Amino acid sequence: MAAQDLNAMAFPTLTEEQITQLARYAGASTKTFRAGEALFRAGDRDPKFFVIKSGELEIIDVTGDQPKTIRMQGPGDFTGDVGHLTGSPKVVSGIARSDCEVYEMSEADLRKVLNQDPQISDLILQAFIARRQLMRESPEFTGLRVIGSRYSRDTFRIRDFLAKNRVLFTWLDLEGDPAVNQLLQQFGVTEADTPIVACAHCLVLRNPSNRELAEKIGIRRPVEHDIYDLAIVGSGPAGLAAAVYGASEGLNTIVLEHTAPGGQAGSSMRIENYLGFPTGITGSELADRAVLQADEFGARISVPTPVTKLTFDKTYSVLELEGGENVVAKCLLIATGAEYRRLEVEHCSRFEGAGVYYAATPNEAQMCRGSDVVLVGGGNSAGQAAVYLSQNARKVFLLIRGDDLCKSMSSYLAHRIMNTPKIEILRCTEVIRMNGDGHLSSVEILNKTTGENETLPIDALFSFIGATPRTDWLPSEIEKDEKHFVRTGIELGDSRQWTLKRQPFLLETSRPGVFAAGDVRSGSVKRVASAVGEGSMVVQFVHEYLKTM
C-alpha cells in the first residue's frame, strides 16, 4: 500500500453525521481540556477514546532522546490505535495545543460502537491498524530501546519476545552501534549489565525474564478468577479462530498463551496459499488481525501465561498456570500446536539464540544480512524461509535429506527456490557438527550419497525439521497417539477413557468437554486454513456440550 493511501486510512476525518452518531454512544457529553493539558500520556493504561469537536491536539512520541511531534489533530479527528482493544499501554502522548472540546468515550462505549455500527466500526478499526503500521515502519519512531550484543542469547530472547508480541522497539547492537557507549553512561550501566530495556531516559529492566518484561511494559493482562465457558490454551490460528467465534457468540472466553499470539504460523514471512490473500500475508499480520477481532468481541487474551498442568474438578477443567494461579472452565480447547524439532547435532544447543534459530523473521534476518546461512528442512515453512532469507543473506544453503524438493514442498514454492540464484540446494545432505566460540561460525555437513564431508563458514543456521506437539502438560486422561499428538473423535475408537454413552464429537478428546484443534491434534492437516477451520468448528461442539451441563 502506498504511503499516501496508508496515511489517508490512518487519519480519516469524521463527518458531522458520524460525530453525532458517536456522541450518542458517549452520552452526548463533552469535556474541555485547556491548552497544555494532557489528554493521555505514553504508558497510560486508561482506555479513553476521544473525538475532537473543536481545538487542536498534538500527538507526541516521547520515547526517543527528544520529544517528536507525530501529528496535529483537529475537529473531526479521533485518538487511539490497536492498544485500545488489546489493553496495551499508550505508546504516544496527546497534548492540547489550544483549548480542546472533545467527546470522551469509555472502552465499553467504544466496543458498543464497534459491535453495533458497521460503517463507523470499519473506519475506526482500519485507522487503528494503519496507525500502528505507520509507527512500525517509521525510522523516526523509537519505542522501547533494547541494548545488547548480537552474540547474546538473552538479547535475542528479549528481541524475539518483543517482536512476536508486536511491541514497538529499537535494537542497539553493542558491537555495531556508535551511540551505545553514550547511552550506557546515560543509564548508569556497563556492558556487563546488558541486555537492558529502556524507554526514553529511563532504565526499565536489566536482562528481564519474558514475564517480568511483559508486566513492566504493561502487555500482560491479569487473569480474572472466573468460571469461563471456554478456555483456550494456545493462540495459533486454531486458538485465535476459536476465540473469535466463541466470544462473538456470547461465550465467556479466555486465551492462555505461552509466548505470543500466532503460533508457528506467526513466524512465517509469507503465507501464499491461504484463501482470500492472492498476494500473500505475513503470519504476524494474520495474527494481529485475529487478535484484534477476538479483543473486539470481548475475548480475554493473556500473554505470557504458560499453563503447567491440567486437572479436573467434576466436569470442569482446572488449568494451573506458572506462578500458581488457576483458571477454571466448563470447556477447554487444546490448541498448543507443535514446535520444530531440535537438530540432534553436536553443540547445537550451545548455539540456540546465538546462531541457531527456529524461525526466519526480520528479527533473525537482521543478524545475518550479507552473510552465508544454512537452512535445514524441506517443507513449506522451510521453503518460505529460504526465499525470505535470500533477500537479506549473501547466500542460502538449503539442506534436504532426500533428493527431490517437490516431495514435501508445494510445487510453486519448490520451483521458485530452484529459480532463485542466491539459494543453493544441497540434496541428500545433513549437518553433523557445529562450531564456534560463543556464536556459531561454521557447520560440518555430510553428503550421504557420496560420503563427502564439507565445512561451511556461516553466521546462522535455521532449522525447520519435523514437529513435536506441545502436549507434555497434559494428564493421562487425555489420550495421545504414539507421537504424542492428541487423539480426537473417531480416532478414539473404543477408548477406555471415554465415559459417556454418546460418541465423542469430531474434535473432542477422550475427556468430555475437552477439545483439540490445529497442529496438536492427531491426524490434522498442517495448514493454516485447516487450523482456522478446526478452531471455528470447535465452538459449535462447545455449544452442544454446554447444553448438556
Side-chain angles (χ1 to χ4, degrees), residues 251-285:
L251 297 178
N252 185 11
T253 303
I254 187 169
V255 182
L256 306 169
E257 168 55 45
H258 183 280
T259 305
Q264 219 175 60
S267 63
S268 175
M269 287 309 297
R270 193 175 176 87
I271 302 171
E272 292 184 274
N273 55 2
Y274 187 47
L275 187 68
F277 294 91
T279 59
I281 184 171
T282 68
S284 60
E285 185 181 3

Side-chain angles (χ1 to χ4, degrees), residues 267-321:
S267 63
S268 175
M269 287 309 297
R270 193 175 176 87
I271 302 171
E272 292 184 274
N273 55 2
Y274 187 47
L275 187 68
F277 294 91
T279 59
I281 184 171
T282 68
S284 60
E285 185 181 3
L286 187 65
D288 268 359
R289 291 170 180 265
V291 167
L292 196 59
Q293 282 178 290
D295 277 316
E296 176 190 353
F297 290 121
R300 176 170 288 273
I301 302 176
S302 184
V303 178
T305 307
V307 176
T308 58
K309 189 177 180 182
L310 169 63
T311 57
F312 300 100
D313 183 1
K314 297 181 181 177
T315 59
Y316 289 174
S317 294
V318 181
L319 296 159
E320 187 175 311
L321 312 182

Side-chain angles (χ1 to χ4, degrees), residues 488-524:
T488 58
I490 196 171
E491 272 215 347
L492 291 168
D494 297 324
S495 170
R496 294 180 181 178
Q497 303 283 358
W498 187 254
T499 57
L500 301 184
K501 291 182 180 179
R502 68 167 174 84
Q503 291 298 304
F505 294 124
L506 181 63
L507 300 175
E508 197 168 19
T509 70
S510 51
R511 177 80 186 195
V514 177
F515 303 87
D519 289 359
V520 75
R521 191 178 68 82
S522 178
S524 67

Side-chain angles (χ1 to χ4, degrees), residues 78-138:
F78 56 87
T79 65
D81 75 345
V82 294
H84 264 92
L85 299 178
T86 61
S88 301
K90 291 193 167 50
V91 296
V92 294
S93 297
I95 308 295
R97 284 300 165 229
S98 64
D99 290 354
C100 285
E101 188 177 9
V102 299
Y103 291 106
E104 181 183 270
M105 297 179 66
S106 67
E107 180 184 16
D109 287 337
L110 178 58
R111 288 187 186 277
K112 282 182 187 177
V113 174
L114 298 179
N115 287 322
Q116 298 176 20
D117 194 317
Q119 183 187 19
I120 296 179
S121 172
D122 288 349
L123 189 74
I124 292 173
L125 287 176
Q126 287 174 357
F128 281 0
I129 293 169
R131 288 174 185 181
R132 185 55 66 100
Q133 185 177 340
L134 282 172
M135 283 191 285
R136 188 170 288 119
E137 294 175 355
S138 170

Side-chain angles (χ1 to χ4, degrees), residues 17-221:
E17 182 181 353
Q18 289 169 331
I19 293 174
T20 301
Q21 180 70 358
L22 282 168
R24 292 196 189 102
Y25 288 100
S29 62
T30 61
K31 187 172 183 178
T32 300
F33 290 85
R34 299 300 177 191
E37 275 192 276
L39 280 72
F40 53 88
R41 294 190 183 277
D44 286 353
R45 298 298 294 266
D46 185 356
K48 294 280 194 310
F49 175 79
F50 300 101
V51 179
I52 301 171
K53 185 178 181 183
S54 65
E56 198 170 43
L57 177 67
E58 183 179 10
I59 306 299
I60 306 172
D61 169 22
V62 297
T63 61
D65 291 324
Q66 297 295 331
K68 298 174 188 172
T69 299
I70 295 177
R71 189 175 181 85
M72 301 298 294
Q73 291 190 303
D77 293 336
F78 56 87
T79 65
D81 75 345
V82 294
H84 264 92
L85 299 178
T86 61
S88 301
K90 291 193 167 50
V91 296
V92 294
S93 297
I95 308 295
R97 284 300 165 229
S98 64
D99 290 354
C100 285
E101 188 177 9
V102 299
Y103 291 106
E104 181 183 270
M105 297 179 66
S106 67
E107 180 184 16
D109 287 337
L110 178 58
R111 288 187 186 277
K112 282 182 187 177
V113 174
L114 298 179
N115 287 322
Q116 298 176 20
D117 194 317
Q119 183 187 19
I120 296 179
S121 172
D122 288 349
L123 189 74
I124 292 173
L125 287 176
Q126 287 174 357
F128 281 0
I129 293 169
R131 288 174 185 181
R132 185 55 66 100
Q133 185 177 340
L134 282 172
M135 283 191 285
R136 188 170 288 119
E137 294 175 355
S138 170
E140 297 180 356
F141 187 84
T142 303
L144 292 176
R145 282 192 272 208
V146 177
I147 303 175
S149 169
R150 68 174 59 194
Y151 304 119
S152 162
R153 296 172 71 167
D154 282 319
T155 298
F156 176 78
R157 172 184 57 78
I158 290 169
R159 291 176 57 227
D160 188 52
F161 178 76
L162 293 174
K164 285 179 176 177
N165 281 286
R166 308 291 275 170
V167 177
L168 300 169
F169 75 97
T170 301
W171 170 47
L172 291 92
D173 183 12
L174 277 182
E175 282 73 30
D177 198 302
V180 163
N181 288 333
Q182 182 181 345
L183 282 170
L184 291 178
Q185 291 177 6
Q186 177 182 312
F187 294 129
V189 295
T190 66
E191 286 190 14
D193 295 311
T194 61
I196 66 168
V197 181
C199 183
H201 299 285
C202 301
L203 178 68
V204 177
L205 289 170
R206 292 178 173 87
N207 194 17
S209 68
N210 290 351
R211 176 160 177 158
E212 287 175 310
L213 181 57
E215 290 176 343
K216 184 68 175 181
I217 65 177
I219 65 170
R220 187 173 191 273
R221 299 165 76 176

